[in-house]
Amino acid sequence: MTPNNKGRAGNGNGGGNGPGSRPAADHCVRVCKAAGCVSAGSEEVFAALSDALKQSGQSVNCEVKGAGCMGLCAAGPLVSVEPEGTWYREVTAEDAPAILNSLGGEIVERLHLPTNTPFFERQERIVLENMGRIDPERLQEYLDADGYAGLNKALTEMGPAEVIDEITQSGLRGRGGGGYSTGLKWGTVAKAVGERKYVVCNADEGDPGAFMDRCILESDPHRVLEGMAIAGYATGASQGYVYIRAEYPLAISRLRSAIRQAEREGYLGNRVCGTPFSFTVEVRLGAGAFVCGEETALIHSIEGQRGTPRSRPPYPAQQGLWGCPTLVNNVETLANIPSIVRKGSAWFASIGTEHSKGTKVFALAGRVNNTGLIEVPMGISLREIIFDIGGGIPGDHTCKGVQTGGPSGGCIPADCLDQPVDYESLAGLGSIMGSGGMIVVDDTSCMVDVAKYFMEFCMSESCGKCVSCRAGTSQLFDLLDKITKGEASEADLALLEELCDLVKHTSLCGLGQSAPNPVLSTLRYFRDEYLSHIVDKECPAGVCSIHRDVEAAV
Amino acid sequence: MSVLQEVKTLTINGREASARGDETILEIAREHGIFVPTLCHLHGLSPVGGCRLCLVEVEGANRLLPACTTRVGEGMVIRTDSDRLKGYRRMILELFLSERNHTCSVCVSNGYCELQSLSRDAGITHVRVPYRYQRYTVDASHELFVADQNRCIMCTRCVRVCEEVEGAHTWDVQGRGIEARLISDMNESWGDSDSCTSCGKCVQVCPTGALSEKGKSVAEMSKRKQFLPYLTLMRDKWK
């Protein structure tokens, strides 16, 4: 079977109007159907627009379509009108007739969302290039946007070693947090001896506040499948698994329908793109354990065992799923692959900094005006992200810092905001790139409380296999709780630091090894806040309720 | 010849040693009379690396490695007794002691407890972190044995011996983090377990007083672990 590529656009990912801007109708109204906007009521908006369209009899020159995440989740539900490129914010079902009536005429001013703002203009989109521009449930729209061209190119024009070389040359590093060279990992799996090999897509996104992987899978599932198929071809695997948490029902259903469509059209299954290469993908649901994002725990979970990590080495590249060499890559890493193969490693390596190439998707959240999903080139400063793209801090408050990397990351103080965002620089600041959670903290937040929040998360997500993480995180949480209640002494602070060192260096897996990071980084930059809780019995931000004898007397 | 059977030479605590590629650091250390403390490891059961007491320093490795699961490598330089490691081991033992309820004076295994003897060797006189005193009910429903989870350290030796040697898989772990605990069958009381063969292997491999024979009073429950190497030897021989 030869894939049906007819009608594919030569270059459909250019300017603001995107590949989907050549509909049969004069206008195309797209409604964001990612989880953020769906929870804000975009399904109702979609239904109202479709109904209004039927009633108005305009059906000849307009069509209403769904779209993946459009990015500015804070202003959802979002609606865009093509080919004009007009965006509308916070649309409700009642607004449907107004939007339809405006087509070809004046825009609806009260709903208008200008797209010439830094939020849109400062972003550089590779992974998210199709988001908001194609319907994630229609393969044809992905094909029109050069979809599966990378796979086709890899299979027909390149050998597996060439693909690996291309990925290595591009400088792509793991986007799940570790930052390990993707090309090197692929090369290791390709070299490993084994009758069967596997490609696993890690979609067990568990950081609080992070939703990059969910949005990618909800908005552009074929891109991840294409990345997996290329990885399978390069490493010699013919079976892939997507390990995704069951809390993402929308992403799961879109992924499943994407797999069915791709199999039907010959992009997955036997004889992919008419070549001898075969690759099938299965979805495995996780029960929502944070530790299952750790690759060895994830592998145990896919095998049907209890999701606990094991000591490495041997690494999964040598002995993974059912003892076979296994490539485990994060969703965003795989989503970069089609573009790299299609446009070449030199193009990708031209973006970013010396050691961190390409772009990074962040889920911008916390005390910032424009919360949402953003993709920025590596090397951009934190200040640009927060104040240009994020639109600054709401109200009269000042930025105190930014938390990156979720419970495994750290807090970066406001005076370090000019540092570039890349793997080395964030690590130097005591944080990590992580999978892409970015939480902005202002002066209304207490840093001890922030550290306590993440420690509580790690404590409840520890699997309990090794004592350092199991007992260590709960002791750390108790100590932080004591500090926030104003009951701690300076001896407790010393114990806190000693325990952090122990848990960091003696835990079995990454969860425990990185669990103390939020505490260590807040101790490094906001030690005075800890001391005010301990010595002055005061919470500078007024968050922690410290019960004093005086208050009790009143 | 497989790579794993190749002979490697290495240095452990300044002494030169040779080893087969499929041997672990722990095996080599014990072979050379170097004591490395362990609680979850037991010869004859699969290693898990959960107690973190056998962590050693290996030159060039970016983190500490568990001796029980790490295979030797050519030219490895291993240190098992640095002050840093001793400090960590002491704190880990304190975490074990703080986790549940380890009151030796009223424990059936007093005098025969591995946690107790390691703590004594480490010179632990008090625990710096607060005791958690989690409360668990004692399961005395089995006709021969008693399970007292208040003494359990989650080493999972019982889980592994039951699954790997007896083949019954009566024991397993439920819950996660600090809430993780042992269960028999589908969280039934031990006495109601259909899979338990009452072989008692779990009781004999338990390092503390968590699993004991009925009728034993304070300081009477000594454990017999000698059967395990014999059983695994016989099993391998007839495989």
Side-chain angles (χ1 to χ4, degrees), chain A residues 306 462 466 470 475 478 501 506, chain B residues 50 52 88 99 130 132 175 177:
Chain A
R306 191 176 148 87
S462 164
C466 78
R470 181 180 71 227
Q475 290 286 359
D478 286 352
D501 177 60
T506 66
Chain B
R52 314 311 284 167
Y88 283 153
E99 215 179 351
R132 299 188 59 88

Side-chain angles (χ1 to χ4, degrees), chain A residues 347-386:
Chain A
W347 161 79
F348 190 82
S350 69
I351 305 164
T353 63
E354 190 187 347
H355 296 295
S356 305
K357 303 295 186 192
T359 58
K360 179 77 192 87
V361 180
F362 287 103
L364 192 57
R367 303 289 295 173
V368 62
N369 279 313
N370 300 332
T371 56
L373 196 69
I374 59 164
E375 182 170 359
V376 290
M378 293 277 189
I380 192 173
S381 74
L382 288 163
R383 189 177 300 283
E384 286 171 275
I385 293 181
I386 298 168

Side-chain angles (χ1 to χ4, degrees), chain B residues 8-12 15-36 67 70-73 76 78 80:
Chain B
K8 319 269 180 185
T9 52
L10 52 129
T11 313
I12 182 161
R15 288 165 58 182
E16 292 191 331
S18 57
R20 246 188 5 254
D22 59 353
E23 288 182 293
T24 63
I25 295 177
L26 184 66
E27 284 167 329
I28 295 308
R30 295 212 164 147
E31 206 174 280
H32 287 78
I34 295 167
F35 176 73
V36 178
T70 309
R71 291 222 168 104
V72 293
M76 257 187 184
I78 304 158
T80 69

Side-chain angles (χ1 to χ4, degrees), chain B residues 178-192:
Chain B
I178 197 77
E179 309 285 333
R181 66 183 199 90
L182 288 177
I183 51 164
S184 44
D185 282 358
M186 304 302 274
N187 200 14
E188 294 151 53
S189 47
W190 195 2
D192 296 334

Side-chain angles (χ1 to χ4, degrees), chain A residues 289 306 311-312 460-468 470 474-475 478 495 498-499 501-502 505-508, chain B residues 48-52 55 63-64 69 84 88 92 95-96 98-99 128 130 132 153-154 173 175-178:
Chain A
R306 191 176 148 87
S311 296
R312 298 174 303 176
S460 58
E461 292 296 335
S462 164
C463 76
K465 181 170 178 175
C466 78
V467 64
S468 314
R470 181 180 71 227
S474 76
Q475 290 286 359
D478 286 352
L495 186 60
E498 191 181 341
L499 267 172
D501 177 60
L502 178 93
H505 291 108
T506 66
S507 290
L508 197 159
Chain B
V48 291
C51 75
R52 314 311 284 167
L55 286 178
R63 56 177 193 273
L64 303 175
T69 60
R84 178 177 175 228
Y88 283 153
I92 288 169
L95 285 178
F96 272 125
S98 75
E99 215 179 351
R128 285 166 292 169
R132 299 188 59 88
I153 57 165
M154 298 299 297
V173 179
R176 62 188 185 204
I178 197 77

Side-chain angles (χ1 to χ4, degrees), chain B:
Chain B
M1 188 170 62
S2 131
V3 180
L4 290 178
Q5 285 167 337
E6 278 174 19
V7 176
K8 319 269 180 185
T9 52
L10 52 129
T11 313
I12 182 161
N13 290 356
R15 288 165 58 182
E16 292 191 331
S18 57
R20 246 188 5 254
D22 59 353
E23 288 182 293
T24 63
I25 295 177
L26 184 66
E27 284 167 329
I28 295 308
R30 295 212 164 147
E31 206 174 280
H32 287 78
I34 295 167
F35 176 73
V36 178
T38 52
L39 274 177
C40 65
H41 178 269
L42 195 62
H43 183 64
L45 299 179
S46 63
V48 291
C51 75
R52 314 311 284 167
L53 285 170
C54 70
L55 286 178
V56 295
E57 291 170 353
V58 175
E59 262 180 35
N62 57 0
R63 56 177 193 273
L64 303 175
L65 295 171
C68 65
T69 60
T70 309
R71 291 222 168 104
V72 293
E74 180 60 40
M76 257 187 184
V77 180
I78 304 158
R79 193 89 232 167
T80 69
D81 57 355
S82 70
D83 287 344
R84 178 177 175 228
L85 289 173
K86 284 180 187 160
Y88 283 153
R89 283 176 192 151
R90 193 193 154 92
M91 189 55 138
I92 288 169
L93 287 168
E94 289 180 46
L95 285 178
F96 272 125
L97 292 167
S98 75
E99 215 179 351
R100 296 201 178 172
N101 188 334
H102 296 285
T103 314
C104 301
S105 56
V106 292
C107 177
V108 286
S109 284
N110 187 7
Y112 306 107
C113 170
E114 292 178 40
L115 177 63
Q116 185 187 38
S117 62
L118 287 179
S119 304
R120 189 186 52 226
D121 293 347
I124 293 176
T125 52
H126 66 287
V127 173
R128 285 166 292 169
V129 292
Y131 289 102
R132 299 188 59 88
Y133 292 129
Q134 299 185 86
R135 297 176 79 91
Y136 290 102
T137 45
V138 177
D139 183 353
S141 58
H142 196 281
E143 66 178 319
L144 300 173
F145 312 117
V146 182
D148 181 358
Q149 304 240 359
N150 297 294
R151 307 271 195 253
C152 175
I153 57 165
M154 298 299 297
C155 69
T156 68
R157 282 185 189 175
C158 53
V159 177
R160 285 173 284 151
V161 79
C162 191
E163 183 192 340
E164 296 168 13
V165 181
E166 180 62 8
H169 204 146
T170 302
W171 292 110
D172 214 321
V173 179
Q174 183 199 47
R176 62 188 185 204
I178 197 77
E179 309 285 333
R181 66 183 199 90
L182 288 177
I183 51 164
S184 44
D185 282 358
M186 304 302 274
N187 200 14
E188 294 151 53
S189 47
W190 195 2
D192 296 334
S193 164
D194 291 329
S195 63
C196 177
T197 61
S198 302
C199 71
K201 290 188 183 70
C202 54
V203 176
Q204 301 306 331
V205 299
C206 175
T208 68
L211 299 177
S212 60
E213 291 165 0
K214 265 193 179 162
K216 290 283 175 7
S217 183
V218 170
E220 288 182 355
M221 185 63 225
S222 66
K223 308 269 172 115
R224 300 182 305 276
K225 300 191 178 74
Q226 300 82 344
F227 75 94
L228 193 59
Y230 174 73
L231 274 183
T232 44
L233 183 76
M234 285 298 137
R235 185 182 60 184
D236 292 345
K237 193 173 169 183
W238 297 107
K239 197 153 53 179

Side-chain angles (χ1 to χ4, degrees), chain A residues 64-279:
Chain A
V64 178
K65 285 182 174 177
C69 183
M70 296 162 88
L72 191 56
C73 305
L78 295 166
V79 170
S80 74
V81 178
E82 290 157 2
E84 291 87 343
T86 315
W87 281 40
Y88 293 115
R89 60 182 296 160
E90 291 167 43
V91 180
T92 59
E94 289 82 59
D95 299 324
I99 290 176
L100 287 184
N101 290 335
S102 76
L103 293 178
E106 286 290 301
I107 59 171
V108 188
E109 205 53 56
R110 67 190 165 86
L111 299 171
H112 185 224
L113 175 69
T115 48
N116 56 354
T117 54
F119 181 83
F120 296 97
E121 294 189 335
R122 296 305 296 271
Q123 294 194 43
E124 183 156 350
R125 297 192 151 194
I126 297 174
V127 171
L128 307 181
E129 66 179 353
N130 291 334
M131 292 198 193
R133 294 179 181 156
I134 64 166
D135 188 334
E137 288 171 326
R138 297 163 85 157
L139 172 62
Q140 190 56 49
E141 295 203 6
Y142 181 65
L143 293 176
D144 288 343
D146 268 357
Y148 289 110
L151 177 62
N152 223 332
K153 180 179 170 189
L155 292 180
T156 54
E157 296 170 27
M158 301 163 87
E162 280 175 89
V163 177
I164 292 174
D165 192 46
E166 193 75 4
I167 301 302
T168 311
Q169 294 294 327
S170 75
L172 176 68
R173 295 169 66 175
R175 297 290 194 249
Y180 190 75
S181 160
T182 305
L184 198 54
K185 206 176 199 177
W186 286 28
T188 315
V189 178
K191 280 262 161 64
V193 183
E195 228 172 86
R196 281 172 301 153
K197 293 179 187 178
Y198 296 99
V199 171
V200 174
C201 170
N202 183 350
D204 190 62
E205 182 176 51
D207 295 14
F211 50 92
M212 300 77 52
D213 298 347
R214 191 195 71 205
C215 271
I216 294 169
L217 288 169
E218 281 174 2
S219 310
D220 206 359
H222 285 288
R223 172 176 285 270
V224 179
L225 295 177
E226 185 181 353
M228 286 181 77
I230 296 172
Y233 174 68
T235 56
S238 57
Q239 170 78 53
Y241 288 97
V242 182
Y243 186 83
I244 182 168
R245 46 195 299 155
E247 286 96 327
Y248 286 176
L250 191 60
I252 294 165
S253 82
R254 291 202 177 145
L255 192 60
R256 285 193 164 138
S257 82
I259 292 172
R260 272 196 307 275
Q261 290 169 359
E263 280 177 350
R264 201 167 49 226
E265 298 296 324
Y267 294 104
L268 286 179
N270 288 328
R271 297 188 55 77
V272 175
C273 297
T275 68
F277 172 65
S278 297
F279 192 73

